[in-house]
Amino acid sequence: MKSIQLAIAALGILAAVPASAAEQHINVDVGELTCPSCSFTVAAAMRGVPSVQIIDFQEGRAWGEGIYVVAYDDQAASPDMIINAVLANGYPAEVLQPGGS
């Protein structure tokens, strides 16, 4: 009888857990990257947002510009949170192309 009660309790807990979040990818264009510490500061700011991982970095079209390819869990973070983290550190940033994985 205990095993049936445990099974029912486990199902109840699983039913209460929301569906798993989806990983999203965005490209974030950041300006004013004039030295290696600038890139480090921006990367640290992005990683400070829950679930954010930097997948790739590419040189931008202009000097001092870079494009970060970022993955994040859409239940823990949003593009606005990522951009605001960069802006809070004094670097201009914008999402180039939002998209799912």
Side-chain angles (χ1 to χ4, degrees):
M1 184 68 167
K2 280 187 177 182
S3 62
I4 293 174
Q5 290 173 337
L6 287 174
I8 291 171
L11 287 175
I13 290 170
L14 290 175
V17 175
S20 63
E23 183 178 90
Q24 301 293 319
H25 291 165
I26 57 171
N27 293 341
V28 179
D29 183 35
V30 179
E32 299 180 19
L33 301 173
T34 58
C35 66
S37 65
C38 293
S39 295
F40 177 80
T41 300
V42 169
M46 288 184 185
R47 287 187 188 112
V49 177
S51 78
V52 169
Q53 294 182 340
I54 298 171
I55 305 298
D56 193 18
F57 175 82
Q58 304 159 3
E59 294 287 329
R61 292 182 186 173
W63 181 83
E65 192 174 283
I67 299 168
Y68 292 82
V69 180
V70 178
Y72 65 96
D73 177 331
D74 67 356
Q75 296 223 344
S78 69
D80 286 342
M81 290 170 69
I82 298 166
I83 295 298
N84 287 335
V86 177
L87 294 174
N89 282 277
Y91 296 91
E94 66 179 345
V95 175
L96 288 181
Q97 58 184 66
S101 58

